[in-house]
Amino acid sequence: NALAGKLYYNAYTGGQRNLTGTVQIAEGLTATSAALKTGEITYKDKNGQGRYEAPAEPEDLPITTSETFEKDRVVNSTGETMMSVGHGTESPMVVNMNGHSLTMNFKTDERWGGKDGIKTERGQKIQVVNPDHKDITISMENTGGMANGIRAFGGEIEIQGPVNIEKVASKGLYGNGVLTFTEGAKITIDGPLKVHNVTGNKGEYTALKNVYDMNLTGIAANGPRSEVIVKGPVDIANIDGYALQ
């Protein structure tokens, strides 16, 4: 930013927008040094002085492509799935935790559609590589509708645990800690799994129980030949509906 600040675009204060620029910070003093940061120069409205604003770190952003963590990873979302195979991303999408933890927090009030911590669609695969067994923590809250901690809507999810689903709070009748849905969907967790506090609106269920079934579960395998495999201890507690389905 100090380097960019040496540049003044005097006509910028008068509305001109013809000058663009970039700033690059390199390791070392030679032209062959490896660049650490490159970014666009913007200008202050008051006096046209240049400035460089570093791009946002991946902190908080959903994981939608293969990634190797460089530090403990946190995802905070108010609507987007926190880990999913993005458009154009090759499958399998491999998330290498590289000795770091992963914490995912989701909170929204959206009524329509299922909201998920980790999700695959048909033909997709996600692999979470965690040989150091660092914590994977998921918290889901949807005050408008359905929520799922981990859902394979077709496709396959493989995770090296431990996986701790602290909360799945939904407004309505549907919420799951771990869910496979549709034919052939598969979720494998290699390590301990904890699913606590899957809650919904029991009052709504009482009013509508002749129309809808309450589907609040710790672990559910729905669909022909769908599977949930856990290779480790399982701790399921405080589920408004069913521990297993």
Side-chain angles (χ1 to χ4, degrees):
N1 189 50
L3 182 62
K6 297 181 180 293
L7 175 65
Y8 283 82
Y9 182 10
N10 294 329
Y12 189 87
T13 59
Q16 191 179 106
R17 298 293 186 271
N18 298 330
L19 181 64
T20 61
T22 59
V23 62
Q24 184 177 86
I25 303 171
E27 185 179 29
L29 302 176
T30 66
T32 57
S33 297
L36 296 180
K37 294 181 180 179
T38 300
E40 292 187 3
I41 297 174
T42 59
Y43 303 95
K44 297 179 181 179
D45 292 331
K46 181 180 179 180
N47 58 7
Q49 183 181 20
R51 62 184 174 187
Y52 166 71
E53 295 180 355
E57 295 290 332
E59 188 93 351
D60 294 341
L61 300 179
I63 299 169
T64 58
T65 188
S66 293
E67 180 177 329
T68 299
F69 296 173
E70 298 299 330
K71 61 179 181 179
D72 292 346
R73 185 72 154 87
V74 176
V75 179
N76 292 313
S77 177
T78 57
E80 291 185 74
T81 299
M82 294 185 286
M83 184 186 296
S84 62
V85 180
H87 179 71
T89 299
E90 292 185 2
S91 186
M93 185 180 93
V94 179
V95 178
N96 185 348
M97 292 176 56
N98 194 30
H100 299 282
S101 64
L102 172 60
T103 302
M104 296 188 283
N105 302 302
F106 183 100
K107 189 172 184 178
T108 189
D109 60 358
E110 294 186 20
R111 180 177 181 183
W112 304 111
K115 302 304 175 183
D116 308 291
I118 301 174
K119 179 185 177 183
T120 53
E121 305 265 357
R122 291 179 179 87
Q124 298 177 341
K125 183 174 182 179
I126 291 176
Q127 293 177 303
V128 179
V129 180
N130 181 24
D132 296 304
H133 305 293
K134 297 296 184 179
D135 288 338
I136 300 170
T137 304
I138 300 172
S139 177
M140 302 290 299
E141 182 177 351
N142 185 358
T143 58
M146 178 179 176
N148 304 290
I150 302 171
R151 177 166 66 143
F153 190 75
E156 184 175 357
I157 299 171
E158 294 180 354
I159 302 174
Q160 289 182 291
V163 175
N164 176 18
I165 300 176
E166 292 184 333
K167 175 174 69 173
V168 178
S170 68
K171 176 183 182 296
L173 310 178
Y174 301 97
N176 306 275
V178 179
L179 171 66
T180 53
F181 194 80
T182 71
E183 184 174 359
K186 184 177 181 180
I187 296 173
T188 303
I189 297 174
D190 185 2
L193 170 65
K194 182 167 75 173
V195 181
H196 284 191
N197 305 312
V198 178
T199 60
N201 189 335
K202 293 182 179 179
E204 183 175 343
Y205 172 65
T206 300
L208 299 174
K209 65 181 178 181
N210 293 325
V211 181
Y212 301 106
D213 289 328
M214 183 171 66
N215 190 10
L216 296 162
T217 67
I219 300 174
N222 294 337
R225 295 180 296 281
S226 72
E227 296 180 281
V228 176
I229 300 170
V230 182
K231 301 176 181 179
V234 177
D235 176 3
I236 301 175
N238 192 27
I239 312 298
D240 274 357
Y242 313 101
L244 301 174
Q245 185 181 64

